Amino acid sequence: MIWQLDLMILTLVVACALVTINIKDLLGASVVFGIYSFMMCLLWAEMGAVDVAFTEATVGAGVSTIFFISAIFKTTRRSKD
Amino acid sequence: MRDINEHTPGEDLIIKTAVRLMVPFAQLFGLYVIVHGHYSPGGGFQGGVILGAAFIMLALAFDMKTSQQYMTIRVNTVFNNLGAAIFVGVGALSAIFGGLFLDYSALDKLIPMGSVEWRSFGIFLVEVGVGFTVMSIMVLLYWNLSSGGAMDEGL
């Protein structure tokens, strides 16, 4: 564990989470959520949990982003609230 | 029936060619992850997601009909039931042969190859079952989400 790298990735994770909550464009939100998942994947790998990092990279950053985008194509792209 | 080599206007040639080159390698990597799941990071779930993502890439770059040409809905149903049956079957078989549920060392009475070897090989069998189910469920989720449940034409 390198605490400088840890702190850097954690800052990016929090920033991506805040952007995902606050952005109005749903397509942009799902893309930023993919970045969030990738940062979590980097964090798991850096903490030594390679198996969890692998799951996060395939499911979180890969497939669930595609599911979000294909669901957005069936609804509206802007959020109302 | 559409040919995979046919170029229709409006779809991007570069993406189609890239996906056609990437799909075999993605599937090979998925099989590698499933088979080496009990030695190294990875396993049935991750490998199954990678195998499913290969079919999702086909459906994204071409259309849903093309991906259903390579994995029909019937084959998909067979795969996701077969995977669950393998998982439960291995567990129930080891319970029938005198062990606990999913206690693979009891399967030594069925095929004698040592209880330690069976503990390693039993995990491999269960991982294959999980991989089948996860692959077909991921593809089915994409088909349903992108076509609104009709499963005829999507993105």
Side-chain angles (χ1 to χ4, degrees):
Chain A
M1 268 180 71
I2 311 162
W3 71 267
Q4 290 92 343
L5 198 63
D6 233 6
L7 200 67
M8 214 168 74
I9 299 172
L10 267 173
T11 316
L12 280 174
V13 164
V14 173
C16 286
L18 287 176
V19 170
T20 309
I21 293 171
N22 288 318
I23 199 167
K24 292 290 176 212
D25 188 4
L26 289 176
L27 191 61
S30 58
V31 169
V32 179
F33 191 67
I35 300 171
Y36 168 85
S37 284
F38 185 69
M39 289 300 153
M40 280 306 289
C41 162
L42 283 184
L43 199 60
W44 293 124
E46 198 259 344
M47 289 193 290
V50 188
D51 207 13
V52 185
F54 203 163
T55 312
E56 186 76 40
T58 53
V59 179
V63 174
S64 77
T65 308
I66 298 174
F67 287 167
F68 282 139
I69 291 173
S70 62
I72 287 167
F73 266 102
K74 290 285 160 191
T75 57
T76 54
R77 195 174 152 177
R78 306 282 300 178
S79 79
K80 293 288 190 294
D81 54 343
Chain B
M1 282 297 191
R2 285 184 55 190
D3 189 16
I4 197 166
N5 294 307
E6 176 191 338
H7 303 304
T8 49
E11 294 174 16
D12 195 10
L13 177 65
I14 294 172
I15 291 176
K16 286 166 86 169
T17 311
V19 164
R20 203 181 325 162
L21 287 174
M22 270 164 69
V23 162
F25 290 104
Q27 284 179 327
L28 195 65
F29 183 59
L31 288 177
Y32 171 85
V33 169
I34 291 179
V35 169
H36 288 251
H38 49 301
Y39 298 122
S40 58
F45 190 75
Q46 291 94 327
V49 171
I50 294 172
L51 280 178
F55 284 100
I56 292 176
M57 274 201 296
L58 265 182
L60 273 175
F62 297 89
D63 58 355
M64 194 172 290
K65 284 276 176 286
T66 312
S67 70
Q68 282 174 354
Q69 212 169 310
Y70 289 90
M71 181 195 259
T72 57
I73 299 173
R74 188 180 294 273
V75 170
N76 192 290
T77 312
V78 168
F79 263 120
N80 66 43
N81 287 305
L82 184 72
I86 288 173
F87 191 99
V88 178
V90 170
L93 211 61
S94 49
I96 288 168
F97 279 93
L100 299 168
F101 188 72
L102 288 175
D103 179 11
Y104 317 115
S105 58
L107 289 173
D108 194 30
K109 293 180 187 120
L110 186 67
I111 302 169
M113 57 188 220
S115 60
V116 178
E117 279 294 310
W118 257 114
R119 283 211 176 92
S120 170
F121 188 61
I123 292 177
F124 168 71
L125 290 180
V126 165
E127 298 272 13
V128 169
V130 172
F132 278 165
T133 304
V134 171
M135 172 188 72
S136 49
I137 291 295
M138 285 296 161
V139 177
L140 196 64
L141 270 176
Y142 175 75
W143 283 347
N144 272 312
L145 271 177
S146 62
S147 68
M151 291 220 274
D152 46 2
E153 52 184 313
L155 302 180

